[in-house]
Amino acid sequence: MLRRSLNRLLGGDERRVDNRTIYIGHQSFPVNEAFIPPKFCDNRIVSSKYTVWNFLPKNLFEQFRRIANFYFLIIFLVQVIVDTPTSPVTSGLPLFFVITVTAIKQGYEDWLRHKADREVNKSTVKVLENGEETSKESEKIKVGDIVEVTENDTFPCDLILLQSSRDDGTCFVTTASLDGESNHKTHYTVPDIERDLQSLSATIECEQPQPDLYKFNGRMHIYKNDQEPTVRSLGPENLLLKGATLKNTQKICGVAVYTGMETKMALNYQGKSQKRSVVEKSINAFLLVYLCILVSKALVCTTLKYVWQNKPGQDEPWYNEKTQKEKDTNLYLKMFTDFLSFMVLFNFIIPVSMYVTVEMQKFLGSFFITWDKDFFDPEIQEGALVNTSDLNEELGQVEYIFTDKTGTLTQNNMEFIECCIDGFQYKHRGACSELDGFCVTDGPVNKLQQKAGREREELFLRALCLCHTVQVKESTEQARSQGEDCIDQVDGLPVEDEALQPPQEERGFIASSPDEIALVKGAMRYGFTFLGLESKTMKILNRNKDVEMYELLHVLNFDPVRRRMSVIVRSRSGDTLLFCKGADSSIFPRVRQEEVERIRMHVERNATDGYRTLCVAYKHLSEEEYAQADEGLREARLALQDREEKLMAVYNQVETGMNLLGATAVEDRLQEEAAETMEALQGAGMKVWVLTGDKMETAKSTCYACGLFQKRTELLELTVRTLEDGGRKREDRLHELLSEYHKKAVQDAPPVKAGGSRGRFFGKQDYGFIIDGPSLSIVLSSSSESNSNLYKNLFLQICQNCTAVLCCRMAPLQKAQIVKMVKNCKGSPITLSIGDGANDVSMILEAHVGIGIKGKEGRQAVRNSDYAIPKLKHLKKLLLAHGHLYYVRIAHLVQYFFYKNLCFILPQFLYQFFCGYSQQPLYDAAYLTMYNICFTSMPILAYSLFEQHICIEFLLKNANLYSEVAKNAMLRWELFLYWTLLGVFHGLVFFFGVRFLFGNPALQDNGQVFGNWSYGTIVFTVLVFTVTLKLALDTRHWTWINHFVIWGSLAFYVFFSFFWGGIIWPFQKHQRLYFVFANMLSSVSAWLVIILLILLSLLPEILLVVLRKPRGPYARKLSEDDLLQSSRLQPSHHCPIST
Amino acid sequence: MASSYKDEDGHISVKKPENTAFKQQRLPAWQPVLTAGTVLPAFFIIGLIFIPIGIGLYVTSNNIKEFEIDYTGLDPSSPCFNCSQNFSWNSTKPCTCSIPFYLEQPYESNVFMYYGLSNFYQNHRRYVKSRDDSQLNGNEESLRKPSKECEPYARHDNRPIAPCGAIANSMFNDTLELFYSDPNGTKTQIPLTATGIAWWTDKHVKFRNPGGNNDNLTAAFQGTTKPINWRRPAYELDSDPENNGFINEDFIVWMRTAALPTFRKLYRIIQRRNTMVPTLPRGNYTLEVVYNYPVRSFDGRKRMIFSTISWMGGKNPFLGIAYITVGSVCFLLGVILLFIHHKYDNRNNNPDISSN
């Protein structure tokens, strides 16, 4: 046992190979002479990070791992240890504030997790123990317990289904909370299990827990009365996952195999990898600059201090002697502590609060996306979802969009259009097909040319009826759902709206893919109705209204690699038939070649029309063939290791030598406003790449339909077809083509300036590039390294000069490869991936920003995305309006923060030249502390949440505005320099303005003089007002919140200063500011200098705004305002509220 | 685990977002547009307001009369040369010198007498913090146990120093007296008022003598010792009990540390007694200095300044000049902008019109 646990502790590899053995009901068997009850973890779910005891140390440790926090901690410690000018409170308090707020936030989140955990852990569960039903708390379930679950309950742990209340040994499950797929999935009991579970003695051998939700390998040994144990294979269809919900089944019993933190759900719960935005990188770069400024300031001051002190009488005049301790200190140590002291004095130049403000801005700002009602889709009753708020501003920086086709550009709402049997076209006529397939009429088959042989026709339709995994919803269920509670069942979502009820017909079928339903319904139109699957028997109502029965022997499941699926059925007459349907490329090589040509024509025509095509084939299996296949399948299914590969081999072996029956065409309509969205995105200077697994023709037509390719776009194709044109080696041809295209698109074309959309209007030739998967893999993995790099470069250069790029026949991994390639190319452009299916997850994870569409292909894309939107059309507003605004907001926030701290600290630095480099702070400690926390933080936060320098409507109408902030335009070094110079200018004005005023410190009308604290307070007052008013000048969108916060901050400053100086503070050692502020206000000169300096500081800013205006974005805004004003009666400046 | 957490989220997103102005980012907003049109008048207005203010300030400042005497005595010809050369902390006999001067203009209103020090770093950090405000506030405990900040001026001869600290220790202790020499040769001393020179709040709230309203200050300071450089203990600073001890105004003024190394502090006020006679008529005066305060060691200077005061305080041409400058710049910018705006507008409007 020790070894076992040791093994488990050591390398994960060993664990993976290791199987676990589970004794159902904890029965021991004489078979195993040394029965050691294996140790598994209990069913307690711990998603919380902290406990009451370790919260403080653990949380603090984690917080101080951040560089910034650590830096501030160091500063704080220096202040505590070394004799520094400012008390430790000045930096300790903000740090404490930040740490506390973060800790409270994290603590609260953890408390929520604790609560959720407790709810899950303490819920009662029925467990069969020694023949009795006992109630247990969920957390006490052990591996091997037999658990009973009733309808609509969630499974408390991962269970192997032993018994179902349904007769056919199945149960229905919805995994909505796991992967969002709300359709009902069928799970099966292990065959040959006795009804009486108590007398069941069996063991389960299965793999160690692994996170893949759709993989499970296991074996059950059933012992019956000293017989050789029977072995049953267990697959994912036997496994009920924790978190899934039991539907349509009264109750089930299952044995716990994985519990607690080892359930697949728990293993899947992990934080997504951190994506960092460009703004964050800019912040870090700026921070480095400011750190350099800080260090150099401290160095300059330290050096000058010792130069100054060298003059006799300066260091220690008679009026200011040092203490004995100071005299004794080593000179170099003193220099070092002096340096540290200066660092501490100037450390406010790197603000703690910036991190808090940026975090808050991102967190709060992301709510506007979730709140946007334009993102609400009435069909699925959901709005947008924000999974990470770290990337808000990145939405305004996108240069490349990678989009999936099916479900993203198109609706993934399939409709059967036509089919082709033996080369004859069958088209279902009638405008009724427009009405969402509402047409129930058993419309006559339109014979366009001739009919194929009746036998072939019927065989084809039977194939459509049989070769699928569609389930028919039970009539009782249907009645019930129509009756009392009509909210359930449809999609697991409450459907309140009458209009949202899917049409009667559609309700009948449940399937994981909409294609299948479309096909089954298509067959229904031609007279063959699928009635359902009952205990391995499929029933079909044929044209003569007879019920045909087929015994379902095997389902060879669909997978994206094979791109086909098959069923093996046995008809009443005893014939064993294999029906197979799949993509043409995967079917054609597996059928007799003479049949292919006739059908290929149709398939290609259909594909050009933008339909999804599937080919249908069948095969008679002789007894021997079937026996062989059956044997192979069973064996492969029982395999514990490499089951997938083994199964695949058997599948491939079985699915050969088939007869081609025909092909189907299913239409997948374009998403609403797909063309407009694409046009807007291209207008905004983004390059749109379509990455799809679909055929080139289908994808191409979709691209034309949504306007990515135009009539006059010259298409550059790099596909298997063009590569094989010359009949030469592919690679030579590839080289040739690439150079040719490169010459065409890159060398001959004038260089594209930012905002590629312009080319469109000035008659420049547009290029579209098409590449397919196989060609891409040649490009990416050429035989020689140098060639590969060359090809890659050529390929990228061509693509960068094309308006749209289409990559078809892409495997999911290839999609990610392309994204990665573009992401890492020169200039590292910001990429965005958008998709709805599991096959898009890899590219969603790879891109800078991943967007999931809440489509019909389950929720995997949504779960892995950074943002999820219901429809493609929402992307336009998400990028053009939200993204643009977020970027402008946060960019301004960052620049402003650095600026305001520079002009805060610069006077303090300059003051050192007048106080003998003695680290005397200019401002009082309270001001030093509060400046960033209270006086100047709120206005910029409000600005960064509410600013709309351009109206949302206007942003949406003028896509090209987006390109104005492209490439991190507002955080470029020039602008950073501008802000820095502005800060320096302001700092100089503040300091020297007051310095000249203090040439005569008798500033009161009673002749009394002001001291150093008055000096600092005047500078500080000018500072606070200038910095706030500078923001006010930049604010283009004054909501009441901005007014409140900006004027409120200033009022608060005045109020606080009065308050702070109005009392002799009992716990303060110094009463430095006692009545300083009030006395300052009683001096007319102080007033006058404050007003003068504020105005002088803002003067260049105002001047610049006026001069810059005609070229900036404001000009457009202005013309828009003019337009609006002319169309409105009142010439008010209010933002138009759209109707 | 995460499921219930997630469900909550899911539940929220099921709800249709509220159509409120706030959530839809449609709060009514004022959208100011800074254009040449709106800014130009502002420039002119600023110019028009600032220039008169500047002129007013400048004139006011110019009308303030100021007279300054440097009595450091560095120059051998200076009357105070001897005193400055022979300075010793231990000398018991005060060194006095008298500086004659001639006032060319009569001073009509109240005259404020300042002493000025140069190269004296009252704003040095070690110096600024070397005080105990709670001791100065009359706290008995701090009187006996001065704060550590006062080191090395906290204790002397094992007795606490009151008032402690470097600031107090180095209090300016020259005595300045002014004599008017009548044309007929008689010298009359001009009365100097020693009160009203410190901030009211300092004198009445921030600074308090120990022992409350106890009349016997000597007793209150029992057990403490005077600052090392002082010639008298704190309770002997003035004969007036309202101006003695910690609430001595000379002391309070000194304790308000100056902002810059060259500074002036209010020393005395010469009140105007008679509306008919100028406060200081034109004529010959003598400044009698009891030279106690050494500045030579740190290259300092000592000055005595007479100044009248206006509503803006002492003489300072800076504000007036700055206002005039900024006002003129604004005005000038206004003119330039108007010119540019005019020209630019004409050019800019043409394509606009054609595009419309």
Side-chain angles (χ1 to χ4, degrees), chain A residues 45 116 269 319-321 371 373 889 911 918-919 948 953 997 1000 1002 1007-1008 1012 1038 1071 1079 1085 1088 1110, chain B residues 1 4 17 19 24-26 30 114 121 123 125-126 133 153 198-199 257 259 312 314-316 323 344:
Chain A
I45 284 292
Y269 177 76
Y319 58 83
N320 191 12
E321 278 171 34
W371 283 338
K373 70 173 165 52
R889 289 167 183 173
Y911 193 57
S918 59
Q919 301 127 22
Q948 290 174 34
E953 285 75 20
L997 182 76
N1000 183 351
Q1008 293 170 0
N1012 65 323
W1038 285 81
Q1071 312 295 339
N1079 265 305
S1085 293
L1088 287 173
Chain B
M1 49 197 269
S4 58
N19 189 8
Q24 300 306 321
Q25 302 194 65
R26 288 187 195 288
W30 172 54
Y114 296 91
Y121 283 85
N123 57 3
R125 181 161 74 91
R126 205 182 325 127
D133 275 340
Y153 303 99
W199 290 10
T257 46
M312 60 171 279
K315 195 182 183 81
N316 193 351
Y323 261 84
Y344 178 82

Side-chain angles (χ1 to χ4, degrees), chain A residues 957-973:
Chain A
K957 261 182 256 156
N958 296 274
N960 55 332
L961 288 175
Y962 189 83
S963 51
E964 276 175 11
V965 295
K967 299 209 184 279
N968 213 359
M970 286 182 70
L971 291 174
R972 273 196 306 242
W973 286 105

Side-chain angles (χ1 to χ4, degrees), chain A residues 158-162 169 171 173 185-191 193 204-207 210 212-221 231-241 255 257-258 264 557 633-641 643-644 647 651:
Chain A
D158 288 356
L159 302 170
I160 290 289
L161 180 57
L162 296 176
C171 74
V173 155
K185 299 192 177 81
T186 319
H187 286 251
Y188 302 92
T189 50
V190 186
I193 291 213
I204 290 174
E205 221 177 294
C206 61
E207 59 195 356
Q210 55 145 320
D212 193 327
L213 290 179
Y214 309 103
K215 278 207 180 105
F216 175 73
N217 283 331
R219 210 167 11 197
M220 187 186 263
H221 300 262
V231 180
R232 296 281 165 231
S233 79
L234 301 174
E237 71 276 3
N238 305 113
L239 185 71
L240 304 170
L241 298 178
V255 58
V257 281
Y258 304 130
K264 285 186 186 282
N557 282 325
L633 285 172
R634 279 181 201 283
E635 216 164 81
R637 283 202 182 126
L638 276 184
L640 271 184
Q641 260 123 45
R643 184 183 286 178
E644 302 297 317
L647 272 176
Y651 287 166

Side-chain angles (χ1 to χ4, degrees), chain B residues 270-316:
Chain B
I270 309 170
Q271 302 280 1
R272 182 170 193 180
R273 282 161 204 275
N274 190 331
T275 41
M276 304 306 289
V277 194
T279 329
L280 290 180
R282 181 210 305 233
N284 281 312
Y285 291 84
T286 317
L287 181 71
E288 295 264 337
V289 180
V290 182
Y291 201 108
N292 289 327
Y293 207 70
V295 291
R296 258 172 53 104
S297 61
F298 54 87
D299 271 345
R301 293 299 193 100
K302 294 196 285 192
R303 289 164 298 147
M304 194 282 306
I305 303 142
F306 294 127
S307 171
T308 56
I309 286 293
S310 71
W311 51 271
M312 60 171 279
K315 195 182 183 81
N316 193 351

Side-chain angles (χ1 to χ4, degrees), chain B residues 136-288:
Chain B
L136 298 175
N137 195 229
N139 187 308
E140 292 286 348
E141 201 189 322
S142 299
L143 187 71
R144 314 277 161 219
K145 261 182 132 180
S147 149
K148 264 214 316 243
E149 306 276 348
C150 284
E151 296 285 353
Y153 303 99
R155 301 182 79 81
H156 183 65
D157 291 341
N158 254 337
R159 279 199 292 177
I161 297 177
C164 76
I167 312 179
N169 181 59
S170 60
M171 182 178 152
F172 183 76
N173 56 358
D174 280 1
T175 314
L176 304 174
E177 278 172 337
L178 194 61
F179 293 92
Y180 175 61
S181 308
D182 260 338
N184 52 24
T186 51
K187 268 174 119 185
T188 41
Q189 182 167 11
I190 293 173
L192 306 174
T193 314
T195 51
I197 57 174
W199 290 10
W200 190 92
T201 46
D202 280 2
K203 168 134 182 158
H204 292 95
V205 189
K206 193 173 168 182
F207 288 81
R208 275 201 206 126
N209 275 323
N213 294 328
N214 192 348
D215 285 337
N216 194 351
L217 261 187
T218 320
F221 278 93
Q222 191 73 52
T224 65
T225 181
K226 70 175 179 61
I228 306 153
N229 288 348
W230 284 22
R231 292 177 191 276
R232 285 169 300 192
Y235 46 86
E236 283 171 21
L237 281 175
D238 200 321
S239 52
D240 177 7
E242 284 304 308
N243 195 27
N244 201 7
F246 291 158
I247 55 170
N248 176 274
E249 292 203 26
D250 282 330
F251 175 65
I252 295 172
V253 166
W254 181 256
M255 292 305 284
R256 181 152 295 281
T257 46
L260 299 167
T262 298
F263 59 89
R264 61 172 74 174
K265 281 178 188 286
L266 189 52
Y267 183 64
R268 293 290 181 266
I269 302 170
I270 309 170
Q271 302 280 1
R272 182 170 193 180
R273 282 161 204 275
N274 190 331
T275 41
M276 304 306 289
V277 194
T279 329
L280 290 180
R282 181 210 305 233
N284 281 312
Y285 291 84
T286 317
L287 181 71
E288 295 264 337

